[in-house]
Amino acid sequence: MLLSLPTEILQSIFEQLDQTEWKQLRLTNKHLCDIICPLLFPRLVLDIKYSHSRSSRALLKAVASKRTQVASYVETLEIHSLMPPRYKALHFWKRLFKRRQRKYQTLEKHLLAALPKFISVTSIIMDMSAMRYVQPSTEDRIMNSLSSLPSLSHLSVFMYREVGASIPNAIGRHFKNLQSLYFAGDAGCYHGIPSALVANSPTLKELSVDSSNLALSALFSEVDALSLKSITLGNAAQRFLDNMPALRPHIGSLSTFVASESIDVPADFWSVLISQQVILQTLSVHRVDRALLDYLSSYAGLVDLTLSSGPLTNDVESQTLADTFYQSVLPKHGTTLKSLLLSTPHDGPWCLGDLHVDRVIACNHLSFLCIAIGSSEDNMVSDPLNVITRLLNSVCDGRLPLQFFEISFATPAMPAHEDPVISMYSPYAVRGHYRINELVSKYFCASPNPAMLDLALSTGHMNHSKLVLVPEQSELWHFELQNK
């Protein structure tokens, strides 16, 4: 009966199972094995030198000898170490190397025979620091095999240790026409890999950088203009935006910009986006300033927005910025916004209150919402029209199609010498989370619509709680507490 169902239905059913059940089903017959394998092997780690050594070697041998078709299902190939180390010039290691030389030659043969079988790989994650032991006679053939995979579009390169110039040169020589690149590590160890890969990929769409001292002028030195769709900056890329003239020709089509919490985005960046009429659909930044809000006010069409107010308090500037966001920016994108995450570590004007909740409810396509409640809502449990209740009511009556709703409590601004962990678990913060938890647990809903039944709600003490019927009540529903 099960085998008579269409493949698409079986896939939907199997996606609800865990990995142990997938492994058991895979052993039943070939038809179920062919359906389960793409779910079980979307990602593969090759680590011949360290923890995965035995399993990686056995897998390479099986793939090379065509005893398994696992390689054809892998979409992400993560390479930690490809070859065992070349031994030091010590007498013992010389003898050991001679004794095992034939074994390593066989392993090299299996590796080169197995790599072309990974025909579905779209992404390669390569740790260059662990590849410094690759034999010089082999590295060029390995890079050629990897770069020739027919579906490859993304390459991630990690470089935290000097490995010499031969391997970087092989990477820059063979990998071409990529759609997405990610660089992490020390720019001084790259030996020109980033600029070579960018030059070899004229249709590059996504660029992610988490590397210190990676100069824009060098990265784009060999290309005239790219049509980048996405830029993601990690914590180490603090100087990436220093040279805006070098970046300007490549961001005219930008739609996604993500900056980690240590990145201070200069005002020139937002000015360039305004002048080139760039419409970002996904934006995540951790510093809010006037230039950013001016840019967000210049257009409509934002879909995903993540903002962190940083260590702002109730001063005049932060109050002005918060008012501008809620009164001008949010209504501008209200008809397109689907995800809104407003993070503020301390109580202040960025916390959602009575003055701004209607602006959030007016975002009638919002499905993901994370907000903070501050001390201004001290009496929210006794107030029937508090912020949280009004938001839940808007979901219940169909005005707000939320699928996930997270509520946090923002503590008062702490002194500079105070530990943030101590502040988080202070009696004041615990009481604030308790009030939110009490309010949510006492919220009752009669005849909830499908959106309300599917809503996952998280607070400081609850994780992905959903509506359930109240015991001994046939018509009332409430959120069942699920501790984090």
Side-chain angles (χ1 to χ4, degrees):
M1 183 68 178
L2 180 66
L3 298 179
S4 63
L5 294 175
T7 301
E8 293 77 9
I9 296 179
L10 289 176
Q11 287 176 339
S12 300
I13 296 174
F14 295 157
E15 286 175 356
Q16 311 303 318
L17 306 178
D18 58 29
Q19 194 174 59
T20 301
E21 293 168 323
W22 286 343
K23 292 179 179 179
Q24 294 171 348
L25 278 172
R26 181 171 172 260
L27 300 176
T28 56
N29 60 63
K30 187 178 185 304
H31 180 60
L32 292 184
C33 178
D34 291 339
I35 298 174
I36 291 295
C37 278
L39 301 175
L40 197 56
F41 301 105
R43 186 185 189 95
L44 181 66
V45 176
L46 290 182
D47 190 349
I48 298 175
K49 182 170 178 263
Y50 295 108
S51 57
H52 298 80
S53 174
R54 182 174 298 179
S55 60
S56 294
R57 297 182 191 199
L59 177 62
L60 287 177
K61 183 177 180 180
V63 172
S65 60
K66 300 181 180 180
R67 289 189 288 107
T68 179
Q69 301 297 320
V70 166
S72 62
Y73 303 114
V74 177
E75 297 179 356
T76 300
L77 184 60
E78 188 170 341
I79 302 172
H80 287 179
S81 179
L82 286 179
M83 292 297 291
R86 291 174 287 176
Y87 292 105
K88 305 288 186 180
L90 299 175
H91 184 65
F92 172 76
W93 292 118
K94 283 184 177 180
R95 287 188 298 157
L96 183 62
F97 180 74
K98 289 180 180 179
R99 190 162 59 243
R100 297 185 177 181
Q101 186 175 12
R102 182 176 300 176
K103 177 181 177 180
Y104 294 154
Q105 289 175 348
T106 303
L107 178 59
E108 178 182 317
K109 178 182 177 181
H110 290 159
L111 173 65
L112 292 173
L115 288 179
K117 306 294 192 303
F118 293 90
I119 56 176
S120 299
V121 167
T122 60
S123 176
I124 292 178
I125 302 173
M126 193 179 303
D127 185 356
M128 298 300 301
S129 301
M131 291 178 60
R132 61 189 184 277
Y133 299 116
V134 174
Q135 303 292 334
S137 60
T138 308
E139 60 193 24
D140 198 71
R141 286 184 290 169
I142 291 175
M143 299 306 166
N144 183 51
S145 297
L146 290 172
S147 63
S148 300
L149 297 178
S151 302
L152 182 64
S153 61
H154 171 83
L155 176 64
S156 295
V157 181
F158 294 80
M159 184 77 81
Y160 291 99
R161 190 178 302 177
E162 179 65 45
V163 297
S166 58
I167 295 177
N169 289 339
I171 294 176
R173 183 167 57 252
H174 289 290
F175 286 92
K176 299 179 180 180
N177 299 318
L178 297 171
Q179 298 292 312
S180 176
L181 287 172
Y182 176 81
F183 303 111
D186 187 356
C189 299
Y190 273 105
H191 295 282
I193 287 181
S195 59
L197 291 175
V198 170
N200 291 339
S201 305
T203 59
L204 185 67
K205 301 299 181 185
E206 300 177 5
L207 179 64
S208 301
V209 178
D210 194 9
S211 176
S212 59
N213 301 320
L214 184 59
L216 275 174
S217 56
L219 184 62
F220 298 117
S221 61
E222 301 181 32
V223 292
D224 294 329
L226 298 173
S227 296
L228 292 176
K229 297 289 187 181
S230 172
I231 294 179
T232 302
L233 303 180
N235 288 323
Q238 298 179 9
R239 300 179 56 188
F240 188 80
L241 297 175
D242 288 352
N243 189 350
M244 282 308 301
L247 185 62
R248 183 190 295 266
H250 312 288
I251 59 175
S253 301
L254 198 65
S255 61
T256 299
F257 179 74
V258 178
S260 299
E261 56 184 331
S262 64
I263 304 297
D264 287 322
V265 182
D268 291 347
F269 178 77
W270 307 118
S271 299
V272 169
L273 296 188
I274 293 176
S275 64
Q276 296 194 3
Q277 298 182 347
V278 174
I279 298 178
L280 290 181
Q281 295 182 337
T282 300
L283 175 62
S284 176
V285 292
H286 293 264
R287 298 289 187 275
V288 179
D289 56 19
R290 173 57 59 183
L292 168 61
L293 297 183
D294 288 343
Y295 166 69
L296 291 177
S297 301
S298 68
Y299 76 102
L302 197 59
V303 177
D304 299 316
L305 177 61
T306 300
L307 290 181
S308 175
S309 64
L312 297 176
T313 57
N314 276 307
D315 57 18
V316 176
E317 181 183 3
S318 60
Q319 182 69 56
T320 302
L321 293 176
D323 290 342
T324 301
F325 173 77
Y326 283 113
Q327 297 174 13
S328 300
V329 174
L330 200 57
K332 193 85 173 181
H333 305 275
T335 58
T336 58
L337 202 61
K338 295 182 179 180
S339 174
L340 177 62
L341 193 158
L342 296 177
S343 174
T344 177
H346 305 301
D347 190 9
W350 285 92
C351 293
L352 189 64
D354 288 331
L355 296 178
H356 307 309
V357 65
D358 289 333
R359 305 283 187 182
V360 175
I361 295 175
C363 299
N364 53 13
H365 290 85
L366 201 61
S367 60
F368 185 98
L369 176 63
C370 296
I371 51 105
I373 300 297
S375 59
S376 60
E377 297 296 315
D378 278 345
N379 298 319
M380 57 187 174
V381 175
S382 59
D383 184 3
L385 295 178
N386 61 78
V387 168
I388 298 176
T389 300
R390 289 165 65 183
L391 285 169
L392 292 176
N393 286 339
S394 67
V395 179
C396 196
D397 60 25
R399 288 178 293 161
L400 198 62
L402 285 183
Q403 298 176 3
F404 179 82
F405 182 24
E406 180 174 320
I407 315 161
S408 61
F409 181 75
T411 61
M414 62 181 182
H417 64 274
E418 187 172 342
D419 191 320
V421 177
I422 296 177
S423 176
M424 181 186 305
Y425 292 100
S426 65
Y428 185 89
V430 172
R431 285 195 300 270
H433 285 292
Y434 178 79
R435 288 197 298 271
I436 294 176
N437 193 67
E438 181 183 3
L439 188 149
V440 172
S441 63
K442 291 183 177 180
Y443 180 85
F444 295 97
C445 180
S447 303
N449 57 21
M452 195 67 179
L453 291 174
D454 291 338
L455 176 64
L457 191 147
S458 293
T459 70
H461 298 149
M462 298 166 52
N463 186 33
H464 290 267
S465 300
K466 292 198 172 186
L467 282 178
V468 295
L469 278 171
V470 178
E472 301 179 357
Q473 296 284 342
S474 60
E475 297 181 355
L476 287 180
W477 297 69
H478 74 141
F479 285 97
E480 184 179 28
L481 302 184
Q482 297 182 15
N483 295 331
K484 287 188 174 180

